[in-house]
Amino acid sequence: MLTKVKNWVSVCLNLFRQTIRQSLFLGMLYLTMFLFMPILPGLKFLSPIMIFLWPFIVVIYIHFYKQLDEKSNFNLQYIINLMKVKFKPLLSIGGFCFIYASLVSFVVHAGGGISADIKTYDELIEKFLPVVIKIFLISIPFFMATWFSPLLVSYNNYGFLKAIKSSLAGTLMFSIPLLLGFITLSVSFIIAIIFITFFFSTLSFLGQNLISFFSSLFLLILLTAYISILFIYQYVTYKDIFESLKIKS
């Protein structure tokens, strides 16, 4: 099991090293689409649209790393044609994501949302801990159902329900190595953040404004790298668990 986790993480980092510039671009593009754009006042209407488009974005990103791993050139036209053929099941996964987002929004609002009346840390914990726990419990089956499902639809010719069930089964069967790999990547990311924060805190001669600028810039770069590495991890785990079951067309 530990050998499997080590191999997954090693392949992830190797693929990332081969595509640092492209991966940083893809990570920044993902942040822009799913974080920055939806919070702009004039673009809030994009938020539900982007939720429905999420599985399509996943397929494009994963296909890039799949082609790289297979030593072939990325063919955008091929993936566009593939998504046209698989439009309905991928859109159904997007609808499933929208239901999840709606449940999370309902839980947050039912918990009272963010309130300026909270004055102390204890009040914050008392109010939001139950909300966080509920969101966490909702998120576990959602992420299990969607971790592999867009790829199973696209590459294994599964329908929506079969892809969801197979993704659940695959993540449940390999839950421990999947979790250990995710923890390894996430802890490495957190350690890198701590190191960057500590490093720039020692450069007091630069002045507070420059320290804040450079530390924010490097943290943003780290976040884009982390996002891309998670996409690579999604592909690597799919390949190891499911690609042998791929239906040859």
Side-chain angles (χ1 to χ4, degrees):
M1 182 175 64
L2 292 179
T3 301
K4 183 180 288 291
V5 173
K6 181 181 177 181
N7 289 339
W8 286 349
V9 172
S10 177
V11 173
C12 283
L13 296 180
N14 184 48
L15 284 176
F16 178 75
R17 279 194 296 266
Q18 295 179 46
T19 59
I20 290 179
R21 288 180 297 178
Q22 298 95 321
S23 292
L24 291 179
F25 170 76
L26 291 174
M28 180 56 69
L29 184 61
Y30 188 87
L31 273 180
T32 302
M33 289 187 297
F34 288 91
L35 181 62
F36 298 144
M37 286 176 57
I39 64 175
L40 295 175
L43 297 176
K44 288 185 177 180
F45 70 94
L46 288 176
S47 185
I49 296 175
M50 297 311 299
I51 293 172
F52 275 96
L53 290 179
W54 178 80
F56 297 90
I57 303 297
V58 168
V59 172
I60 294 173
Y61 276 47
I62 297 298
H63 192 70
F64 169 76
Y65 292 111
K66 184 175 185 294
Q67 295 298 98
L68 174 70
D69 185 44
E70 295 173 351
K71 304 295 188 296
S72 58
N73 294 324
F74 179 71
N75 189 335
L76 183 59
Q77 188 59 50
Y78 170 82
I79 200 64
I80 290 174
N81 293 337
L82 176 64
M83 289 190 296
K84 285 180 181 178
V85 173
K86 303 298 182 181
F87 180 80
K88 285 186 178 179
L90 288 175
L91 190 65
S92 297
I93 295 174
F96 183 70
C97 296
F98 183 79
I99 292 173
Y100 162 75
S102 300
L103 281 173
V104 169
S105 179
F106 173 78
V107 169
V108 171
H109 283 88
I114 299 174
S115 174
D117 297 333
I118 298 176
K119 303 299 182 183
T120 67
Y121 177 77
D122 289 338
E123 288 179 346
L124 180 67
I125 293 298
E126 182 180 355
K127 185 174 181 61
F128 285 105
L129 185 58
V131 175
V132 171
I133 292 174
K134 290 177 183 177
I135 293 175
F136 178 74
L137 292 175
I138 294 172
S139 298
I140 291 174
F142 167 77
F143 284 114
M144 291 176 67
T146 57
W147 184 249
F148 295 121
S149 52
L151 309 181
L152 292 171
V153 165
S154 299
Y155 298 124
N156 291 61
N157 295 327
Y158 286 10
F160 166 66
L161 289 177
K162 184 176 180 181
I164 292 291
K165 290 189 292 185
S166 297
S167 182
L168 281 168
T171 51
L172 186 61
M173 187 178 301
F174 292 87
S175 57
I176 296 178
L178 282 168
L179 183 60
L180 288 176
F182 176 76
I183 290 173
T184 300
L185 294 172
S186 299
V187 168
S188 300
F189 170 65
I190 293 170
I191 291 173
I193 288 178
I194 294 172
F195 173 78
I196 289 294
T197 303
F198 173 76
F199 174 75
F200 281 104
S201 69
T202 63
L203 305 179
S204 56
F205 61 90
L206 291 176
Q208 190 60 42
N209 290 336
L210 277 178
I211 290 174
S212 178
F213 170 76
F214 283 115
S215 60
S216 299
L217 176 62
F218 277 90
L219 290 176
L220 182 61
I221 292 173
L222 277 176
L223 181 58
T224 58
Y226 177 68
I227 289 172
S228 295
I229 289 172
L230 286 184
F231 276 112
I232 300 173
Y233 184 62
Q234 193 172 4
Y235 162 68
V236 168
T237 53
Y238 158 77
K239 179 184 176 182
D240 190 46
I241 296 172
F242 282 106
E243 197 169 63
S244 61
L245 303 175
K246 183 177 175 181
I247 299 173
K248 305 297 182 182
S249 56

